[in-house]
Amino acid sequence: MSRIPLEHRLRAAWQRRGPLAVVLWPLSRLYGALAARERAAYSSGARAVTRLPVPVVVVGNVVAGGAGKTPTTLAIVEHLKAHGWRPGIVSRGHGRAGGDCREVMPDSDPRAVGDEPLLLRRRAGEPVAMAPRRAEAGQALLAAHPGCDILVCDDGLQHGALARDVEVCVFDARGTGNGWLLPAGPLREPWPRAVDLVLFTETPSAQGGAGQPAPTSAGQHPPTFTATRRLADDALRADGSRVPLAELQGQPLSAVAGIARPEAFFAMLRAAGLTLARSVALPDHYDFNSWSRLPDGRQTLICTEKDALKLWRHEPAALAVPLLLEVPPAFFAALDERLAARGYHARATASP
């Protein structure tokens, strides 16, 4: 049985306009007013907006919690590399200790840099810089890596202080949930709103449609695409070696997930033919500082790749299963078109 934290119960309540959402609705009006004032301050010029010397692609969402931003960022970075760009990644570093500006190294401590920036650095193999102000992170990255010619911002759709050239809004199957603002619903800002591209990281559910995106300045609706999420064929050990998932079939496993939607991860494991004798849902970005070993220590422990970066300190034998995102080629074609329309082209030709 999963132990479902209050955080996940609240997210479940955001899928409908039930009693809890109705009670919180007055607070959502206050939240909406404050968020609108923040957006107006940047659009009016009352607050400064920093323009960096390279194009900036922001990958974000309008709903609280994970919707697949990090896998989308990785997919975009891989596409840009394959087409001659030299990308860098900027992030706020949610969940880390401290708020300084720093570069993420492959051997960085996840407690100091956050789990998602470290995962991005290891998986993408490209420079990653982080700071509460994304523009500061971008400036630091460009100073340290002058060959970088494009930045991809992991999250930051609501971070108006950084000028951007392309906005990608990511949804998962939940869409906009009940359509209300925080805390009565999952929305960080009203939807629809104008963006360049919309990507569903999984097929939207009948209950969670994201609505029609707002038209662009040219009066056109931004293209909307649907990707496919799946587990990798192999699980990873702490030393980097691999274990085929097929070899784990038929043996009882203990699964743990400290992500926004742990049940989705557990369901994917079961769909891969794995037997979960126990599943433990933890808060998103759980630090594992208070982690205690599960009662049956003989069972193989399996987790997400993001969780493993912190869990391996306590459970070096745990297996991590990477999540892969298969993005349709039409999405990347649309991204390239938006960059070209703004006058941006790769300075190098990708090798075949």
Side-chain angles (χ1 to χ4, degrees):
M1 291 291 293
S2 299
R3 299 199 305 267
I4 306 297
L6 178 61
E7 170 190 354
H8 298 135
R9 295 177 183 174
L10 179 60
R11 286 175 176 157
W14 286 343
Q15 291 305 108
R16 62 189 186 92
R17 297 184 178 183
L20 178 58
V22 171
V23 168
L24 294 174
W25 183 78
L27 293 177
S28 73
R29 297 294 298 273
L30 175 61
Y31 173 88
L34 295 175
R37 186 171 69 177
E38 179 89 357
R39 292 192 299 272
Y42 287 111
S43 62
S44 67
R47 289 192 180 183
V49 178
T50 301
R51 166 67 66 177
L52 297 177
V54 299
V56 173
V57 177
V58 169
V59 180
N61 60 7
V62 294
V63 296
K69 296 184 300 294
T70 298
T72 301
T73 297
L74 284 168
I76 289 175
V77 168
E78 289 302 316
H79 168 78
L80 293 172
K81 289 166 58 178
H83 288 75
W85 293 94
R86 288 165 284 183
I89 303 172
V90 296
S91 171
R92 180 182 183 275
H94 181 76
R96 67 177 173 131
D100 60 333
C101 177
R102 66 169 64 188
E103 183 172 351
V104 181
M105 299 300 179
D107 60 350
S108 291
D109 187 335
R111 293 168 292 185
V113 301
D115 45 25
E116 288 171 347
L118 181 56
L119 179 60
L120 287 166
R121 179 63 182 85
R122 291 186 178 183
R123 285 274 296 272
E126 298 298 328
V128 178
M130 52 192 296
R133 287 180 51 86
R134 276 77 163 187
E136 183 182 357
Q139 291 166 336
L141 189 151
L142 294 173
H145 302 272
C148 174
D149 56 12
I150 190 168
L151 292 175
V152 182
C153 182
D154 180 41
D155 206 358
L157 205 60
Q158 291 77 36
H159 187 68
L162 175 63
R164 68 285 310 269
D165 300 283
V166 179
E167 287 186 324
V168 179
C169 188
V170 179
F171 290 97
D172 60 18
R174 298 168 297 169
T176 56
N178 63 16
W180 282 350
L181 295 174
L182 292 167
L187 292 180
R188 298 175 175 179
E189 58 179 311
W191 182 264
R193 61 96 114 187
V195 295
D196 293 282
L197 301 170
V198 173
L199 181 68
F200 280 86
T201 56
E202 54 189 331
T203 303
S205 67
Q207 297 80 18
Q212 181 66 20
T216 64
S217 57
Q220 301 295 319
H221 292 287
T224 299
F225 306 90
T226 300
T228 301
R229 284 203 282 192
R230 69 174 184 87
L231 299 178
D233 296 328
D234 300 321
L236 302 176
R237 295 191 181 97
D239 62 5
S241 60
R242 298 174 179 270
V243 178
L245 291 188
E247 292 186 5
L248 301 176
Q249 293 177 355
Q251 58 179 285
L253 306 171
S254 292
V256 59
I259 57 177
R261 296 172 58 214
E263 290 299 336
F265 175 65
F266 301 149
M268 294 177 77
L269 292 175
R270 294 187 184 100
L274 303 185
T275 302
L276 302 188
R278 183 180 179 89
S279 57
V280 180
L282 299 168
D284 195 12
H285 299 286
Y286 183 68
D287 58 18
F288 288 93
N289 289 337
S290 59
W291 170 258
S292 58
R293 191 170 181 82
L294 297 178
D296 191 346
R298 296 169 299 174
Q299 293 177 358
T300 299
L301 185 61
I302 196 164
C303 64
T304 71
E305 190 178 17
K306 185 175 79 168
D307 289 320
L309 298 175
K310 296 165 290 188
L311 181 58
W312 275 331
R313 301 195 316 270
H314 311 283
E315 301 279 359
L319 299 177
V321 185
L323 179 67
L324 306 180
L325 189 69
E326 298 176 350
V327 180
F331 169 84
F332 294 124
L335 173 64
D336 294 340
E337 290 175 2
R338 288 231 167 6
L339 289 170
R342 289 157 177 75
Y344 296 119
H345 304 274
R347 292 183 297 181
T349 301
S351 57

